[in-house]
Amino acid sequence: MLDVEQRWELIDKIAKRTIKFGKYRHTLQDAIAEITVKPLTGIPIAIAVLYGFWAFFVAFARFSTDGFLVKLFDMHWLPWLQEVFPAGKESWLYYIFVGDPLAENCFEAFGMLTSGLFVVIGVVLPAIVAFYLVLIVLEDSGYLPRLAVLIDTVLHKIGLHGYAIVPSILSLGCNVPACTACRILETKKQRFIMRTILAIFIPCGAQLGIMLKVIPETVGWVILYLLAGYFILGFILSRIVPGESPELLLDIPSYQRPTFSNVGRKLWVRTSSFFTTAIPFVLLGVIIINVLHLTGVIDWLATGLGPLLSGWFGVPKETVGALIVAFLRKDLAVAQLSAIEMTKYQMVTSVVLVSIYFPCIATFVMLLKEGGVKGFLGSLAALVATVFLYGGLLHLIWILLGVA
Amino acid sequence: MRILLMGHPNVGKSAVFNRLTGARVTESNYPGTTVDYTKGRVRIEGDSFEIIDVPGAFSLEPKDKAEEVAVKMLEENKEAVAICVIDASKMERGLYLALQVIEKGYPVVIALNMWDVAQDKNIEIDVKELEDILTVPVVPVTAISGEGIRELALRIKEASLVKIEKIIEKAGN
């Protein structure tokens, strides 16, 4: 075996005999490459890019859902189903599959074929498609590593480095692949911090989509509160978790024009994998929650946990159902919250609780798979502490503002 | 026979993999897209081979979890042939890993990917000369459009073991 120096010496000799560098012209691409990575111009551009991302996501999701799919579901699908469903309106089958016979929209009905399908196809699907479309363009263009360079200093404060932006942004689509993406971080400490804060604080695309629909006015505040939590918990973990946080050593690729075929293929693969993993869980979630309602388990839990929910977190005890569903699917849980009577502030707290309280089961499995038993238990401990302290803090804020 | 796709992060291993197998592994333009391996099959002149898309690694001394997977794949497949994918516009850097793989005793084929980018940058590579020095097949490829993939597939069988001393000797002249 050669040593490092001998190998480079050999490469030098080979290169001298085989490579000729022609005259290099400074192209438009190089100019773009420079202005997007220099802080003075790069940071405003990054803000514009991220804002554009969000604006497109919101516009696309609202256009499809409110402009089209809500009408389809509420004016055609729901009345039709209420009319033709073979079982009687009082039967438990009707309750599970169609839900409330008097419901006028698919959110309130909460049957498997009404709310279940509406959440997946009517609300979440357009959001997922919009999100992945922009994300894929960002991925393929080569912009993500530049974002990593710009945000490096900030992420060092929480024991990570700029490249942690990659799992963080992927996580906004789905936490599951984001947990795997943490492997690009160098040390165990970094991977632990990253997995833990993304599983707790980053809402997935499905959840973002449903939040837009359920709490359109306050969704921005919820996201800000979660983002603040991401940094606070990251900061604390970086101080107490032993291990190293090395510097960012990153290769920035050249910009590329995304190709239609690759964007289309990736969009298809991700959307279809969303379908196959989300639909069974959402439908199952509706069944489970309806069965728990019918058997009185929810009431029993609501009474038992009521003092904790209303006393500590300041939310109605009925939210217990949503918290159970949140374990399966966050989007469904937020949808369920919309049917519960509460104030705007309680709603914000409930949505935040659904977000930070246990990650969905699929993410849970990834935390165990990627972190091992020890890492998993560590994430779990951080999670429990976060739910009580950070969730309770929001209640305290409302009390201080006099709106609780 | 097993084929391993080895190379630096973000040189287009997944693109080569998708082209060879018709699979739909995620391709993106940032290092670290592939963090776990994917297996696929490729048919070359009637024979079917197993091919593995390995996560990118800068060298065989792993620094992160994805590189650990890469080194482990190499060690677990002692009989494999390696396609070393190199970014043609940064050839020297890619050769480092390729030489390490050759030294470890694997038959190698070199795919000079992003050939179109290298040409845009006016980088001229003497492929014949490179092949002559390394004594392994060297194939210019543009995986994103599929150019050169057929030749790459056809030349996998020419991969053979090379002694590093022989390369040093040839490079010296």
Side-chain angles (χ1 to χ4, degrees):
Chain A
M1 295 289 280
L2 304 177
D3 63 29
V4 178
E5 220 156 290
Q6 288 169 320
R7 207 172 287 126
W8 279 119
E9 208 177 295
L10 175 58
I11 291 168
D12 242 15
K13 276 189 198 161
I14 298 173
K16 274 204 187 98
R17 293 183 46 183
T18 55
I19 311 178
K20 262 207 301 235
F21 290 95
K23 218 178 153 75
Y24 188 74
R25 289 188 323 265
H26 206 72
T27 59
L28 177 67
Q29 202 192 34
D30 296 312
I32 298 172
E34 273 165 33
I35 61 168
T36 47
V37 82
K38 281 186 182 152
L40 191 66
T41 44
I43 290 171
I45 291 173
I47 292 169
V49 166
L50 293 176
Y51 181 77
F53 191 158
W54 176 249
F56 176 81
F57 171 71
V58 172
F60 188 100
R62 287 216 175 121
F63 172 77
S64 320
T65 300
D66 293 340
F68 181 65
L69 291 159
V70 167
K71 293 186 181 85
L72 185 71
F73 271 90
D74 288 355
M75 289 159 71
H76 301 284
W77 176 245
L78 181 68
W80 180 76
L81 207 62
Q82 284 169 333
E83 193 62 40
V84 304
F85 196 75
K89 291 195 163 107
E90 303 301 316
S91 73
W92 61 270
L93 261 178
Y94 190 93
Y95 186 80
I96 289 176
F97 285 96
V98 185
D100 183 357
L102 298 172
E104 283 173 358
N105 65 58
C106 276
F107 254 130
E108 282 171 12
F110 223 78
M112 190 180 111
L113 297 175
T114 50
S115 295
L117 281 184
F118 176 62
V119 166
V120 178
I121 297 169
V123 183
V124 174
L125 180 66
I128 290 281
V129 170
F131 183 87
Y132 277 132
L133 190 59
V134 193
L135 178 67
I136 292 166
V137 170
L138 281 187
E139 281 181 352
D140 286 13
S141 64
Y143 186 66
L144 289 180
R146 287 166 173 88
L147 205 53
V149 172
L150 289 170
I151 204 159
D152 187 49
T153 328
V154 180
L155 289 171
H156 266 293
K157 304 250 188 299
I158 60 171
L160 300 170
H161 57 56
Y163 217 57
I165 197 72
V166 169
S168 299
I169 286 191
L170 292 184
S171 191
L172 284 168
C174 176
N175 289 356
V176 174
C179 281
T180 327
C182 294
R183 291 186 186 180
I184 53 174
L185 298 170
E186 290 85 352
T187 66
K188 236 178 164 160
K189 171 181 179 170
Q190 289 175 307
R191 292 193 290 266
F192 171 76
I193 295 177
M194 190 72 255
R195 272 196 312 272
T196 307
I197 61 178
L198 72 79
I200 297 177
F201 286 109
I202 301 193
C204 67
Q207 198 190 333
L208 284 171
I210 197 92
M211 273 158 52
L212 275 182
K213 180 83 191 101
V214 174
I215 48 164
E217 290 100 32
T218 44
V219 62
W221 293 106
V222 169
I223 290 172
L224 271 186
Y225 193 69
L226 293 175
L227 200 61
Y230 169 98
F231 283 105
I232 296 169
L233 183 61
F235 182 80
I236 296 170
L237 288 179
S238 74
R239 293 292 179 283
I240 58 177
V241 177
E244 275 178 80
S245 300
E247 287 296 319
L248 173 72
L249 287 171
L250 178 63
D251 214 19
I252 301 185
S254 1
Y255 277 120
Q256 260 172 21
R257 190 191 303 271
T259 61
F260 275 110
S261 60
N262 197 43
V263 172
R265 183 171 54 210
K266 275 162 62 167
L267 189 61
W268 171 250
V269 168
R270 287 177 186 179
T271 311
S272 51
S273 91
F274 161 76
F275 251 100
T276 48
T277 52
I279 289 187
F281 276 116
V282 168
L283 299 185
L284 185 70
V286 178
I287 294 184
I288 289 177
I289 210 70
N290 282 344
V291 168
L292 291 179
H293 259 299
L294 283 174
T295 50
V297 175
I298 299 265
D299 285 337
W300 179 75
L301 276 174
T303 317
L305 295 172
L308 174 70
L309 289 171
S310 55
W312 184 261
F313 296 113
V315 295
K317 63 179 172 29
E318 289 78 16
T319 51
V320 80
L323 291 174
I324 292 172
V325 175
F327 192 68
L328 279 174
R329 289 289 307 178
K330 302 260 176 175
D331 42 7
L332 189 61
V334 177
Q336 217 193 352
L337 288 175
S338 69
I340 300 169
E341 196 118 344
M342 56 181 139
T343 68
K344 189 166 82 180
Y345 304 98
Q346 286 178 319
M347 189 61 158
V348 169
T349 313
S350 309
V351 174
V352 167
L353 280 182
V354 161
S355 309
I356 64 179
Y357 144 95
F358 287 98
C360 72
I361 194 156
T363 308
F364 217 63
V365 172
M366 288 312 294
L367 286 179
L368 184 59
K369 192 178 155 218
E370 293 292 312
V373 176
K374 218 175 125 192
F376 175 73
L377 292 175
S379 300
L380 205 59
L383 189 142
V384 173
T386 304
V387 170
F388 278 95
L389 297 176
Y390 206 60
L393 176 68
L394 202 49
H395 187 205
L396 184 67
I397 294 173
W398 300 144
I399 291 173
L400 292 176
L401 288 175
V403 292
Chain B
M1 183 177 75
R2 258 198 188 153
I3 303 164
L4 298 177
L5 279 167
M6 303 288 300
H8 279 194
N10 212 40
V11 294
K13 292 175 293 301
S14 297
V16 170
F17 180 82
N18 284 348
R19 283 282 165 189
L20 284 172
T21 61
R24 289 172 166 181
V25 167
T26 308
E27 304 167 19
S28 302
N29 185 16
Y30 64 84
T33 304
T34 309
V35 290
D36 209 343
Y37 65 89
T38 312
K39 289 182 184 175
R41 296 203 75 87
V42 54
R43 288 192 76 81
I44 303 166
E45 293 179 316
D47 298 314
S48 173
F49 303 101
E50 186 172 63
I51 180 164
I52 303 176
D53 184 22
V54 177
F58 283 106
S59 70
L60 297 180
E61 295 87 41
K63 288 185 310 301
D64 61 39
K65 204 119 187 219
E67 291 194 348
E68 279 172 29
V69 174
V71 174
K72 212 175 110 206
M73 289 315 298
L74 198 61
E75 265 155 25
E76 281 176 2
N77 294 287
K78 295 274 184 216
E79 304 299 309
V81 170
I83 298 181
C84 287
V85 184
I86 292 177
D87 177 347
S89 66
K90 299 167 186 161
M91 195 181 85
E92 295 101 312
R93 300 175 44 179
L95 277 179
Y96 189 88
L97 183 71
L99 286 178
Q100 274 195 313
V101 175
I102 289 173
E103 285 170 53
K104 284 246 177 197
Y106 291 84
V108 163
V109 181
I110 289 178
L112 285 177
N113 194 24
M114 309 198 194
W115 187 252
D116 56 334
V117 177
Q119 284 188 321
D120 284 348
K121 290 186 174 168
N122 279 323
I123 298 170
E124 265 177 63
I125 298 172
D126 189 340
V127 176
K128 274 243 99 33
E129 177 80 358
L130 190 61
E131 235 173 26
D132 193 52
I133 295 171
L134 297 174
T135 54
V136 301
V138 177
V139 186
V141 169
T142 304
I144 210 158
S145 68
E147 260 170 277
I149 291 290
R150 206 184 124 75
E151 196 198 336
L152 177 68
L154 291 175
R155 296 194 64 188
I156 290 173
K157 61 175 190 297
E158 290 174 35
S160 60
L161 291 169
V162 192
K163 284 259 173 293
I164 192 77
E165 290 76 19
K166 198 172 158 200
I167 298 177
I168 297 176
E169 191 193 306
K170 287 208 168 199
N173 298 328

